[in-house]
Amino acid sequence: MATLLTIGDAAKASGLTAKMIRHYEQSGLLQKPARTDAGYRLYNSQQVQQLSFIHQARQLGFSLHEIQSLLQLWQNPQRESRVVKQLAEQHLADIARKIAELQNMQQLLQQLADSCSADSSPHCAILAALAPQAAD
């Protein structure tokens, strides 16, 4: 007989929290587990593997929708690796876009911080730049 794990043990084995496991069940990423007569969840080894897979994919920043697609591909022995690569490359492009946005934000905020005189006067170049301009 296969070993079944409680949600706490499944959390430890997968690197997730029990709260996140329940969330992934509710979102449909993970099939509802068996339950004891007392209502405790029991996870089989396949479900724990799925949880570890989900955890790794989340660590890489994949969305729940993307993880659903990756799980389907992972579980399909007839999959084509090019589809998996396309998903990964799209995610890489998204990450590159976000990095560029963050770098732009950093540069703008640095310019604002550099324009601050940081003295005892009430005038603040940072606040002035953030405030909406009054219409004439």
Side-chain angles (χ1 to χ4, degrees), residues 18-33:
K19 181 178 179 179
M20 289 309 301
I21 291 174
R22 286 189 291 272
H23 172 71
Y24 295 142
E25 285 174 28
Q26 290 172 347
S27 67
L29 282 180
L30 184 70
Q31 182 181 17
K32 301 264 186 228

Side-chain angles (χ1 to χ4, degrees), residues 11-58:
K12 287 177 191 168
S14 65
L16 295 167
T17 63
K19 181 178 179 179
M20 289 309 301
I21 291 174
R22 286 189 291 272
H23 172 71
Y24 295 142
E25 285 174 28
Q26 290 172 347
S27 67
L29 282 180
L30 184 70
Q31 182 181 17
K32 301 264 186 228
R35 291 195 179 242
T36 66
D37 292 338
Y40 293 104
R41 292 170 169 87
L42 295 175
Y43 298 88
N44 62 35
S45 61
Q46 180 185 2
Q47 289 169 311
V48 173
Q49 283 183 324
Q50 283 182 294
L51 289 169
S52 294
F53 184 98
I54 293 167
H55 177 67
Q56 291 296 333
R58 290 299 289 159

Side-chain angles (χ1 to χ4, degrees), residues 53-128:
F53 184 98
I54 293 167
H55 177 67
Q56 291 296 333
R58 290 299 289 159
Q59 292 289 94
L60 292 172
F62 284 101
S63 69
L64 293 183
H65 178 73
E66 291 167 326
I67 293 171
Q68 182 67 47
S69 297
L70 289 168
L71 277 169
Q72 289 171 353
L73 289 163
W74 181 49
Q75 295 166 343
N76 177 3
Q78 304 302 315
R79 69 182 168 261
E80 294 183 2
S81 62
R82 84 183 86 187
V83 176
V84 180
K85 185 173 182 173
Q86 288 170 345
L87 279 171
E89 287 178 337
Q90 179 59 52
H91 187 59
L92 280 169
D94 292 342
I95 290 170
R97 180 186 48 78
K98 289 175 186 176
I99 288 171
E101 289 172 1
L102 287 170
Q103 288 174 330
N104 187 44
M105 287 176 15
Q106 179 187 27
Q107 182 181 20
L108 291 173
L109 187 55
Q110 186 64 57
Q111 289 171 356
L112 289 175
D114 291 345
S115 69
C116 179
S117 60
D119 58 18
S120 60
S121 79
H123 174 73
C124 179
I126 298 169
L127 294 177

